[in-house]
Amino acid sequence: MNFLSVENLTKTFGDRLIFEDLTFGIEQGQKAAIVAKNGKGKSTLLKCLLGSEPFDDGRVVFRKDIRVAYLEQAENLDESHTIIEEVFKHDLPKLKVVKEYNKAMKENDEKRIEELFVEISELNAWDTEVKVQQILSKLKLDNVELPISVLSGGQKKRVALAKVLIAEPDFLILDEPTNHLDLDMIEWLEEYLGTSKSTILMVTHDRYFLEVVCDTILELEDHTIYKYKGNFSYYLEKKAEREEQFETTVTKARSKMRTELEWMRRQPKARGTKQKARIDSFHDLKKVAKQNINKEELELGVKMERLGTKILELHKIGKSFGDKKIIEDLTYTFKRNERLGIVGNNGTGKSTFLNMIMGRESLDKGKIVIGETVVFGYYSQENIQVDENMKVIDVIRDIAEYIPLEKGRQMSAAQFLEKFLFPRDMHYNYVYKLSGGEKRRLKLMTVLMANPNFLILDEPTNDLDIFVLNVLEDYLRTFQGALIIVSHDRYFMDKMVDHLFVFEGEGQIKDIIGNYTAYREHLKEADKQEKEENRQRKKEEQSVAAKVEVVEQPKPVVEKRKLSYKEKTEFEALDGEIMELEEEKEKLTAVLSNPDVSSDELNEASKRLGEVVAEIEQKSDRWMELAEFI
């Protein structure tokens, strides 16, 4: 069943063609991603599909009666709302009744709670309540009464994400959903979307996301769409095959064109004396032969000073902000070919640590010793600090007209820009006209032009497309200096680092040998073991509590009327039955709180929980009735 049909879609900005005659469809249940170089129109295409951006020609048709939710890069939230008010701002009956129920619970309105309890049960909305709590918890939006106006940019992005996920749309459109999420959140979202029944269309630079979640890749290139029915690995393989075939076709066309050109030149000028079909064929061949097959590559051999024996030493350094500890007594000596990755939840002090090394942040205690031969190249999360009215090439020329390379060679500013995938027609563009990713790439150029031998990169992959990331990785693999990387890009970290500093909070930093994937597997195994130990401990505690409860039961009051044999048998059986039901209730509650169970399991558990609670009440009332006559 087709959820989205796009036919002959064309979009221009002035004289600039963004895309032309795009035709593709998205089927129900499909999980597709749009990939393209920065500035090539990914976000524009999404806006055209949703009607928030006009297009020049073509048509976009969504299937009738489906609900569509859109997560855009710039969150659009009501600043006067609290978090909980904003995420519940939907017209869905289930969300409305859960919202009212939470309000009644807060106001302790017992009559209204009772009414809504029945309504929630009728709508089978208990799983919705659990899902809302699960999503808010996973995205670390625990204080739901906070107003939107006081939230940071990252928190607002997470609220916007929670809002579209809670809506349970038929068609989910996501523009960079992993931005501002820490690694735990990204992995949770990856699993959540992978098991979601929603049809999904996304734009993301997270290559693990593309690998695990997506089953279709739509590449926007040369103003058109290339469709690949597979994940990211499949796309890379088939794209390479397509480019190889294209290169062969153009090479053959150029070879044949030389022969045809000679034939054209030998013919009389009068058109009537030439073979029209062959002339038309020549012009078609000329179009193919003129296509560019030069691959844009970032190959750099920038000259750098060799590192000496002393590089960077940290001696019992410490840093706090008020009562919040960032680093506590950290001692470490960096080696010549250090390749360190830094991970940790947002707010644990990763960027602060880098700023301390660079002297931008003071130490509370300890000292940092930097070797005399060290030349830092620091790529921070801040935007490039240049006049927005400068031309791109002037930004580079202000640093140096020529860049020294290895073996005495040099490269002009224009050549350097081309190596960084800025073609000649962009050199005289103003900085303010660049996309976010292009500005980040320009900033990276200015860092590398200083010929550093110690690179510190704070979230270098943000806003860089997958094509730039691939060539940046190629460069860093051959980089001969020391390297520190802070990144939420798991794919990037796996390829670049050989050990990790894990910022655990409260000033604790753990040094882990291996890349990011090895670290996460270790964490999963430790978490699994901890859960099993907790389960066994809880089971033992419940067993002890049950025995105590039986021992400490009050002596029944003896009444004149005695129980019949049948009533005695019933009374004796009730204890065991109630205990079994209480245990089942515990298990069902655990299922409803488990983020890993499917929606079908949640529905079944929610339904059964209602039945169990009713049975416990009924049997407890009967036990008390019979106990009066013992």
Side-chain angles (χ1 to χ4, degrees), residues 464-493:
L464 297 184
D465 61 56
I466 58 176
F467 307 96
V468 176
L469 289 177
N470 285 336
V471 290
L472 176 59
E473 287 163 358
D474 289 341
Y475 167 71
L476 291 178
R477 272 199 296 267
T478 60
F479 180 69
Q480 296 300 308
L483 178 66
I484 300 178
I485 299 173
V486 174
S487 179
H488 288 143
D489 189 322
R490 299 158 293 168
Y491 195 97
F492 186 75
M493 292 286 271

Side-chain angles (χ1 to χ4, degrees), residues 484-550:
I484 300 178
I485 299 173
V486 174
S487 179
H488 288 143
D489 189 322
R490 299 158 293 168
Y491 195 97
F492 186 75
M493 292 286 271
D494 272 353
K495 295 174 79 171
M496 292 298 105
V497 307
D498 48 34
H499 77 117
L500 300 169
F501 274 4
V502 182
F503 279 62
E504 298 182 322
E506 296 299 320
Q508 299 304 305
I509 299 172
K510 186 180 291 184
D511 190 0
I512 302 290
I513 303 301
N515 64 13
Y516 177 76
T517 295
Y519 161 64
R520 293 304 289 181
E521 288 301 320
H522 168 75
L523 278 189
K524 285 178 182 177
E525 190 58 38
D527 184 54
K528 183 179 177 182
Q529 186 175 343
E530 184 180 352
K531 284 181 178 178
E532 178 60 27
E533 289 174 356
N534 288 339
R535 190 184 70 80
Q536 289 293 339
R537 184 165 58 252
K538 190 172 183 180
K539 187 176 179 180
E540 290 171 5
E541 288 171 356
Q542 287 175 341
S543 177
V544 171
K547 290 177 182 177
V548 170
E549 185 180 342
V550 171

Side-chain angles (χ1 to χ4, degrees), residues 360-374:
R360 298 184 178 189
E361 188 75 55
S362 62
L363 308 180
D364 290 346
K365 60 180 179 179
K367 65 177 180 177
I368 294 176
V369 180
I370 300 170
E372 293 181 1
T373 59
V374 172

